[in-house]
Structure formats: C-alpha cells, structure tokens
C-alpha cells in the first residue's frame, strides 16, 4: 500500500493549504508531536523485547537466536560468543525499528484524519456566523468544505490491518503454547514482552478507529447546527446533501471483511486462545513436548 500512501499525502497537502485559525494550527502542531511520540513509543516497546530476549539468552550462555555463522563458531571461545551475540542483537534491533515505523504509520494516518475532521467541523460551525463573507462567498466556502471532506476520506490501511489481525491471532496462539509448554522463567519474561509488542500493533489503531467513528458523528452535528436556515436555497441544498453524506458513520474496515474497532482487537485475543485450545484438545502439545525431549 506504499504507493497509495504516497498518493494520500497529496490530498493532505491540499487540506494543509486551507485557511486555518490559531486553534487549528495548534492542533496541527500537536499532531506532529503526537506522531513523533508514537514512533518513539513503538520503537521503545519493540526494543524492550529485543533487549529482554538478548539478556535471557546470554544469561543461559547462548546467543539470542543462534544464527548460523560460517566465519566462526560461537561456542569455541568467549570472544566469539560475544561477537555472535552482538551481531544478532544489532540485527534484531534494526528489524524492530523498521517494524516500529510500519506499525506507527496507520496510527499516525488515522490521527491526521481525525485532526482534519476537527478543523473541518470548526470551519463549518463558524461558517454561519461569518458576517465578513457575502452569500456567494459563504456558498463557495461550503462547497469547499464538501470537497475537503471528500479528500479526507481516503483510507489506505485496509489491507495492512487485515494482514496484521490475521497473523497476530496466530502468533499469539503459538506464543501461548510456547510459554505453557517450553519456556523457562527468563524465556517467559521475554515472551511476555513479545506479546505486549504484538498487541501494540493493533490496539492503538483500533482505538483511533473507534475515535474516528465518534468524530464523524460530531461532524454531522456541526453541519446541522451551523445556522443555515436563513441562507439561500442553493446553500440549503448543499447543506442537506452534505448532512446526508456525513450521517453515515465512517468505519474503517480490514479488506471490507470486518470493521477495525476495539471489539475486533478483543476478538484477536479470543482467536489466539482458540488456537491454543484447539491444539490442547488435539493433544498435540504433549506430543510436541515429548518429541523435543527425545
């Protein structure tokens, strides 16, 4: 979806060119700060997993992932063990930072949409009280608000979130099996950091999607209370059209299969426990444990 994401930034640039009051500028500056904090928080959480995995493995005397190294054998000396562990730690840290960027952009994207919806609601609310504009200028401003609302509604995260929800459910089920059957104390702690990192991939986005639904409902209320009753007929016609269009709650979906909401995030956890229960009922857990022991 990278090409569609880049295409969406063109619509965002158009929205940034609209006249914005001081409160609107404050909202935009705040969303920039929020975006930076989100990326840092995602990276910090994922790096906590890599650090806990690194420490738990080094304590038991093994590299974190025991990747095959054709240059030297890590078990031959302490020096080789340290070098091997450092190489693997740097590799997983690079992957964690990359994953943080991938998981932060849906949250940032939804928050940008929410901010522009808030600014659009303020513009519409103030439009009926704008005495400096004549009837034609207010009509053109209303039409521009309709076009801006159309530019805002360009979600590009549908496919990304569908893949995330599907894979995360399976991963949580497998991780639960690992914790119950195979992990020691240190591996359990590292796995819990991993579970927290996995849940962080979908929870913020689901929360923002729920908030976006509330914001879209507030937009229709702002249109209705925008003092349009004394305007000319063509202005009222556009208001009615705009109001009908915005009364439908904006719901982000994952490949148009299920909505992205907090309930969907809870269902992912339920799906993970279903995977664990299914394997337990099939008595595969004990067989796997016995095969590893053999």
């Amino acid at each position: 979806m990278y090409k569609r994401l880049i295409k969406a930034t063109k619509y965002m640039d158009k929205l940034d060119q609209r006249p914005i009051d001081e409160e609107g500028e404050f909202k935009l500056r705040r969303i920039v700060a929020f975006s930076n904090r989100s990326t840092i928080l995602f990276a910090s959480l994922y790096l906590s997993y890599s650090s806990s995995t690194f420490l738990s493995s080094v304590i038991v005397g093994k590299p974190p992932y025991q990747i095959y190294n054709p240059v030297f054998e890590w078990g031959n000396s302490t020096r080789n063990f340290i070098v091997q562990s450092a190489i693997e730690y740097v590799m997983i840290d690079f992957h964690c930072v990359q994953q943080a960027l991938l998981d932060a952009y849906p949250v940032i994207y939804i928050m940008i949409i929410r901010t522009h919806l808030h600014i659009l609601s303020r513009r519409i609310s103030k439009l009926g009280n704008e005495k400096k504009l004549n009837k034609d200028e207010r009509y053109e401003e209303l039409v521009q608000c309709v076009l801006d609302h159309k530019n805002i509604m360009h979600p590009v995260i549908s496919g990304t979130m569908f893949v995330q929800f599907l894979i995360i459910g399976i991963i949580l089920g497998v991780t639960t099996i690992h914790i119950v059957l195979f992990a020691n104390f240190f591996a359990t702690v590292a796995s819990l950091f991993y579970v927290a990192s996995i849940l962080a991939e979908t929870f913020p986005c689901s929360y923002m999607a729920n908030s976006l639904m509330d914001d879209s409902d507030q937009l229709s209320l702002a249109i209705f209370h925008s003092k349009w009753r004394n305007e000319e007929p063509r202005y009222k016609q556009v208001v009615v059209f705009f109001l009908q269009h915005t009364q439908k709650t904006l719901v982000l979906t994952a490949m148009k299969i299920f909505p992205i909401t907090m309930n969907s995030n809870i269902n992912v956890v339920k799906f993970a426990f279903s995977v664990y229960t299914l394997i337990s009922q099939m008595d595969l857990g004990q067989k796997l444990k016995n095969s590893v022991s053999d």
Side-chain angles (χ1 to χ4, degrees), residues 72-85:
F72 57 82
E73 176 61 36
W74 61 267
N76 293 338
S77 66
T78 304
R79 175 179 173 276
N80 290 346
F81 171 72
I82 295 174
V83 173
Q84 177 73 16
S85 300

Side-chain angles (χ1 to χ4, degrees), residues 239-256:
V239 168
V240 171
F241 166 79
F242 198 11
L243 187 59
Q244 290 178 342
H245 187 69
T246 55
Q247 279 182 334
K248 183 179 180 181
T249 302
L250 175 61
V251 180
L252 297 180
T253 60
M255 296 292 289
K256 297 184 179 180

Side-chain angles (χ1 to χ4, degrees), residues 185-202:
F185 173 76
F186 296 107
T188 299
V189 173
S191 297
L192 291 178
F193 276 106
Y194 180 67
V195 169
S197 301
I198 289 296
L199 291 177
E201 291 189 24
T202 56

Side-chain angles (χ1 to χ4, degrees), residues 6 65 276:
I6 296 301
Y65 305 99
Y276 170 74

Side-chain angles (χ1 to χ4, degrees), residues 208-218 249-251 260-261:
M208 292 297 176
N210 259 94
S211 301
L212 183 61
M213 295 168 60
D214 297 334
D215 295 337
S216 65
D217 293 337
Q218 292 297 323
T249 302
L250 175 61
V251 180
I260 302 174
T261 61

Side-chain angles (χ1 to χ4, degrees), residues 11-43:
Y11 294 101
M12 299 300 173
D13 291 339
K14 293 179 181 179
L15 294 173
D16 291 337
Q17 294 174 0
R18 302 289 178 255
I20 301 176
D21 56 10
E22 292 184 0
E23 184 172 348
E25 291 182 358
F26 173 75
K27 288 181 178 294
L28 291 179
R29 293 181 182 275
R30 189 172 63 178
I31 191 58
V32 172
F34 172 83
S35 302
N36 294 334
R37 289 197 301 268
S38 299
T39 305
I40 293 174
L41 287 175
F42 271 103

Side-chain angles (χ1 to χ4, degrees), residues 26-188:
F26 173 75
K27 288 181 178 294
L28 291 179
R29 293 181 182 275
R30 189 172 63 178
I31 191 58
V32 172
F34 172 83
S35 302
N36 294 334
R37 289 197 301 268
S38 299
T39 305
I40 293 174
L41 287 175
F42 271 103
S44 300
L45 181 60
Y46 294 174
L47 290 174
S48 69
Y49 156 70
S50 64
S51 299
S52 62
T53 305
F54 172 77
L55 292 175
S56 62
S57 300
V58 170
I59 289 174
V60 299
K62 295 181 180 180
Y65 305 99
Q66 303 183 44
I67 301 174
Y68 173 69
N69 191 338
V71 180
F72 57 82
E73 176 61 36
W74 61 267
N76 293 338
S77 66
T78 304
R79 175 179 173 276
N80 290 346
F81 171 72
I82 295 174
V83 173
Q84 177 73 16
S85 300
I87 292 175
E88 294 184 7
Y89 183 58
V90 171
M91 291 174 60
I92 192 62
D93 281 350
F94 175 80
H95 174 70
C96 286
V97 173
Q98 183 186 36
Q99 189 66 35
L101 296 176
L102 292 174
D103 292 335
Y105 98 81
V107 177
I108 295 172
Y109 179 80
I110 295 177
M111 198 62 187
I112 291 174
I113 294 178
R114 290 189 60 201
T115 302
H116 280 294
L117 276 178
H118 291 164
I119 295 175
L120 183 61
S121 296
R122 282 181 51 80
R123 286 172 55 193
I124 295 173
S125 299
K126 295 171 59 178
L127 189 58
N129 298 323
E130 190 62 60
K131 303 302 182 181
K132 297 180 181 180
L133 303 178
N134 56 40
K135 292 183 177 181
D136 292 334
E137 290 174 339
R138 282 201 296 271
Y139 175 77
E140 293 297 330
E141 182 65 20
L142 178 62
V143 173
Q144 191 62 61
C145 289
V146 176
L147 296 177
D148 289 344
H149 180 262
K150 181 180 178 181
N151 288 334
I152 292 174
M153 303 299 107
H154 285 275
V156 296
I157 61 174
S158 177
T160 303
M161 295 309 300
F162 173 77
V163 174
Q164 279 191 342
F165 276 110
L166 179 63
I167 295 178
I168 285 173
I170 299 174
I171 289 177
L172 288 177
V174 175
T175 304
T176 304
I177 296 172
H178 169 71
I179 293 175
V180 174
L181 299 179
F182 306 110
N184 56 25
F185 173 76
F186 296 107
T188 299

